[in-house]
Amino acid sequence: MEGIWKKKDLLSLYDLSPEEITYILDTAEEFKKVSQRKVKKVPALRGKTVVNLFVEPSTRTRMSFELAEQRLSADIINISAETSSLKKGETLLDTAKNIEALQVDLIVIRHSAAGAPNFLAKRLKAGILNAGDGSHSHPTQALLDIFTIREKKGKIKGLNVSIVGDILHSRVARSNIWGLLKLGANVTIAGPSTLVPREFTQIGVRVCDNLRDALEGADVINLLRIQHERQQASYFPSISEYTNIFGLNKESMRYVKPDALIMHPGPINRGVELDSSIADGPQSVILEQVTNGLAIRMAALFLVAGCLKGRDTSQ
Ligand code: CP
């Protein structure tokens, strides 16, 4: 497995082999130990500069990337859309080229436009890490989800993983589906038929029309919020109807195995897709996902930075 990572960018799990995904997970296991030490810092990215370019809101991913960079001893610049010249009409490429002109090594980008990280990766020498692009991809979220499942269940292959909610608009769902299928899990998706594309059956995903079918037999249940900000139309009659039919609550928990993991990428709409008692209950691993996200992002930054060596900005 030594030296298996050869990519200067992390854009999507679709692009990765099962071996590359496993390599990131294994690397993250080592980095998780760093955060459990008294001194939570290593010099792995000392002398490297990372720009966090967030053109769409974020709490978890942004904090996690920034802390991961600090723990790796990188120099960090944070840019948000609201306070940058993007607001004055500068193009994303011009902004990124100005960033690169400062000999920046890595750019972590979140953008509402699907494909924005791929667009920059083709045009810049800096390594690009996708922190979420539109409804397309959120690779580090899926990696941290898969890491958490592997940590708790000891394997991925053969597990039944159900993803419930707004699949249509979810980059988290797409990234999880690719990663989990590559590692041999059985993936089920469920939600209102308007929000669950049937096309996923063509890649081996089971599509359920009702929550009970998705919950029974599941080893992992990953709940997604309804993404109003990406919806152009009304996909179901009302929030209360969604909650009644697809919400995970005390009643629907009757169908959930006692050892099933309850996951959510956040932010949670408490009382909509998930009751507070379950979000905070014994089967929930939601905050452990956040903890593991730090290790995954340390691993991703470290591996991608390692592939910039041949074309170091110092040369
Ligand atoms: N899970 C996730 O991407 O959360 P943020 O939007 O807060 O980063």
Side-chain angles (χ1 to χ4, degrees):
M1 294 289 272
E2 186 67 26
I4 200 170
W5 186 263
K6 306 279 183 212
K7 291 182 165 66
K8 87 159 184 71
D9 310 294
L10 176 61
L11 301 174
S12 161
L13 295 199
Y14 179 82
D15 306 328
L16 304 187
S17 66
E19 292 74 25
E20 286 172 320
I21 294 172
T22 303
Y23 192 61
I24 300 175
L25 302 180
D26 293 346
T27 307
E29 257 179 30
E30 296 306 311
F31 278 116
K32 187 165 177 178
K33 293 174 194 159
V34 173
S35 294
Q36 292 158 348
R37 289 185 202 156
K38 205 166 167 187
V39 177
K40 303 177 178 63
K41 205 157 178 148
V42 289
L45 288 194
R46 193 162 59 197
K48 300 280 183 209
T49 308
V50 186
V51 166
N52 297 308
L53 177 58
F54 277 69
V55 190
E56 193 193 69
S58 168
T59 298
R60 277 147 291 272
T61 312
R62 187 178 183 146
M63 281 199 305
S64 183
F65 264 114
E66 193 173 334
L67 189 55
E69 292 149 14
Q70 287 172 358
R71 297 231 164 137
L72 294 170
S73 308
D75 298 317
I76 304 166
I77 302 168
N78 292 314
I79 303 176
S80 66
E82 287 304 304
T83 54
S84 76
S85 288
L86 288 162
K87 189 101 174 150
K88 301 179 197 164
E90 184 170 70
T91 66
L92 176 64
L93 185 58
D94 277 337
T95 299
K97 288 206 163 198
N98 276 274
I99 291 170
E100 197 170 59
L102 297 170
Q103 281 80 50
V104 162
D105 301 288
L106 299 173
I107 299 175
V108 176
I109 177 170
R110 169 167 288 196
H111 204 288
S112 57
N118 302 60
F119 175 82
L120 293 187
K122 280 197 191 110
R123 288 163 179 83
L124 300 180
K125 290 196 187 93
I128 306 294
L129 292 105
N130 183 358
D133 60 328
S135 301
H136 175 229
S137 186
H138 195 349
T140 56
Q141 178 67 48
L143 286 164
L144 75 88
D145 293 340
I146 294 169
F147 182 96
T148 305
I149 297 169
R150 190 178 79 160
E151 189 174 63
K152 293 283 170 190
K153 295 285 184 187
K155 62 175 186 177
I156 300 296
K157 194 174 167 64
L159 289 181
N160 298 320
V161 181
S162 290
I163 306 173
V164 180
D166 178 359
I167 310 294
L168 180 66
H169 299 97
S170 176
R171 56 195 176 209
V172 175
R174 275 176 189 74
S175 296
N176 265 277
I177 287 168
W178 284 118
L180 288 165
L181 288 179
K182 281 173 191 246
L183 297 188
N186 307 308
V187 181
T188 295
I189 53 176
S193 55
T194 47
L195 290 174
V196 180
R198 263 39 192 177
E199 290 76 10
F200 279 111
T201 55
Q202 292 167 17
I203 56 167
V205 173
R206 181 172 76 120
V207 175
C208 282
D209 289 321
N210 70 78
L211 184 61
R212 182 175 175 170
D213 285 348
L215 298 183
E216 284 179 338
D219 300 299
V220 178
I221 298 150
N222 198 349
L223 296 146
L224 306 175
R225 76 188 168 91
I226 299 297
Q227 305 200 31
H228 298 289
E229 73 275 22
R230 296 205 185 97
Q231 294 185 5
Q232 310 295 319
S234 189
Y235 287 87
F236 48 86
S238 68
I239 290 287
S240 61
E241 181 152 324
Y242 178 86
T243 301
N244 286 339
I245 298 174
F246 288 104
L248 191 61
N249 49 39
K250 278 187 183 138
E251 200 188 333
S252 46
M253 272 301 278
R254 286 184 295 141
Y255 306 120
V256 175
K257 292 204 294 186
D259 64 344
L261 306 179
I262 305 297
M263 305 181 77
H264 194 302
I268 304 172
N269 288 141
R270 284 175 182 262
V272 179
E273 68 270 12
L274 183 58
D275 259 20
S276 275
S277 61
I278 300 162
D280 304 328
Q283 288 180 246
S284 169
V285 293
I286 294 169
L287 291 178
E288 287 171 79
Q289 290 173 256
V290 177
T291 302
N292 290 335
L294 180 60
I296 283 290
R297 287 167 181 130
M298 288 173 80
L301 288 157
F302 172 75
L303 292 173
V304 168
C307 289
L308 301 173
K309 270 182 193 145
R311 350 174 262 98
D312 214 309
T313 46
S314 63
Q315 290 177 351

